[in-house]
Amino acid sequence: MSWIHELSSLELAAFVVGVVALLSVIGVALVAPRVRSSRLHQHFDNGTITGLLSALIGIYAVAAGLTAVAVWGNMVDAGSDVSREAAAIAVLYHDLGGYPPPLQQQGRRALVAYTRYVINVEWPMHQKGELPRDTLRIIEQAQRSIVSFEPATEGQKIVQAQVLQSYNQLLQAHWQRVQAVRDTALPAELWIVVILLGAIAISSCFLLRVDSFAMHATVTLLVAAPIALVLYFIAVSDHPFQGGINVSPAPYREVLEKMLLLDDVEQGGEAAAAGAAVPPR
């Protein structure tokens, strides 16, 4: 069913609503004549059936509502994980400024490469429900710069401790994002419950006694439409990194732009300082 999450939001809405509406009309056409020819309405009138329908819709509303809230909560949590990791990159980039120039440049280049890798490689894979394998190798380039630094003064020891803390926060945020890609989808059992409850609620409309097929189909569609829309919302939000509604890599792009801008400013300042140090002829 992964192809569902490759559809746009509008395409998925049209698909879910169209399928539910089509099955509802087919159900009315097949079941309603058999119900009218049976003795069901000698024992139960439309009022009794309507009461049953109201109870079933109430049960579905509770189950589907709780599911929709849980799915949206997963979406919000995944967005928070992304923002937290982007912030950890920015903090670590800033903390590396306390290192000597060779190690500082090496560590910052590794962070820039990692951010670009997240945007250009990892994100397209996330949108397909896949996980990359080379991420840690890129992060370890920054780790080697951190570990190779041997502080000689108390100030450098403080800088080293802060960098290590920021690096650990980056690793933690990275794993939280990976877990969000892999483990946030609804279990199949919950999908079965939500779909079956919706199908039972719609099927109860088939038991109504309505002489006009067009009117019977209209009543059934009025019940099926909200159920279809709730199913659409759950489906479009089920995978936070896939589908029409998904988590954006914009925080990484913003951090990358700031890192590159800061790098250009520092390089320009170093070039100006070097030019001022050259004595005039």
Side-chain angles (χ1 to χ4, degrees), residues 156-210:
Q156 291 179 346
K157 291 180 180 179
I158 295 175
V159 171
Q160 176 78 343
Q162 182 62 40
V163 169
L164 289 174
Q165 181 180 359
S166 300
Y167 178 77
N168 290 333
Q169 291 175 351
L170 174 58
L171 282 181
Q172 182 180 4
H174 164 77
W175 286 115
Q176 288 175 340
R177 170 171 59 86
V178 171
Q179 185 177 7
V181 175
R182 183 179 54 197
D183 299 333
T184 52
L186 290 177
E189 294 79 5
L190 186 55
W191 267 112
I192 293 174
V193 170
V194 173
I195 292 175
L196 285 181
L197 284 175
I200 293 172
I202 295 173
S203 299
S204 63
C205 295
F206 304 160
L207 304 179
L208 293 171
R209 182 176 181 85
V210 182

Side-chain angles (χ1 to χ4, degrees), residues 32 35-36 40-54 204-212 215-216 219:
V35 172
R36 285 196 296 268
L40 176 67
H41 294 109
Q42 295 179 5
H43 304 282
F44 301 101
D45 58 6
N46 279 351
T48 304
I49 298 174
T50 302
L52 173 64
L53 174 61
S54 300
S204 63
C205 295
F206 304 160
L207 304 179
L208 293 171
R209 182 176 181 85
V210 182
D211 295 332
S212 170
M215 185 61 65
H216 199 169
V219 171

Side-chain angles (χ1 to χ4, degrees), residues 120-272:
N120 299 325
V121 179
E122 289 193 355
W123 221 259
M125 296 181 69
H126 289 348
Q127 292 174 341
K128 298 179 182 178
E130 301 174 358
L131 295 176
R133 298 182 178 180
D134 296 335
T135 307
L136 290 181
R137 179 179 58 82
I138 299 177
I139 296 180
E140 287 174 356
Q141 295 178 3
Q143 182 183 11
R144 286 194 294 268
S145 301
I146 297 172
V147 174
S148 61
F149 177 61
E150 297 181 359
T153 64
E154 291 299 325
Q156 291 179 346
K157 291 180 180 179
I158 295 175
V159 171
Q160 176 78 343
Q162 182 62 40
V163 169
L164 289 174
Q165 181 180 359
S166 300
Y167 178 77
N168 290 333
Q169 291 175 351
L170 174 58
L171 282 181
Q172 182 180 4
H174 164 77
W175 286 115
Q176 288 175 340
R177 170 171 59 86
V178 171
Q179 185 177 7
V181 175
R182 183 179 54 197
D183 299 333
T184 52
L186 290 177
E189 294 79 5
L190 186 55
W191 267 112
I192 293 174
V193 170
V194 173
I195 292 175
L196 285 181
L197 284 175
I200 293 172
I202 295 173
S203 299
S204 63
C205 295
F206 304 160
L207 304 179
L208 293 171
R209 182 176 181 85
V210 182
D211 295 332
S212 170
F213 171 78
M215 185 61 65
H216 199 169
T218 300
V219 171
T220 304
L221 289 175
L222 289 176
V223 174
I227 294 176
L229 291 175
V230 173
L231 289 175
Y232 153 72
F233 176 80
I234 296 174
V236 79
S237 308
D238 186 22
H239 289 70
F241 296 89
Q242 297 177 259
I245 301 178
N246 53 59
V247 179
S248 171
Y252 298 103
R253 293 195 181 100
E254 295 176 1
V255 169
L256 179 61
E257 292 176 359
K258 293 179 181 179
M259 288 191 299
L260 294 177
L261 179 61
L262 182 60
D263 187 55
D264 292 339
V265 171
E266 290 181 351
Q267 290 181 359
E270 292 176 358

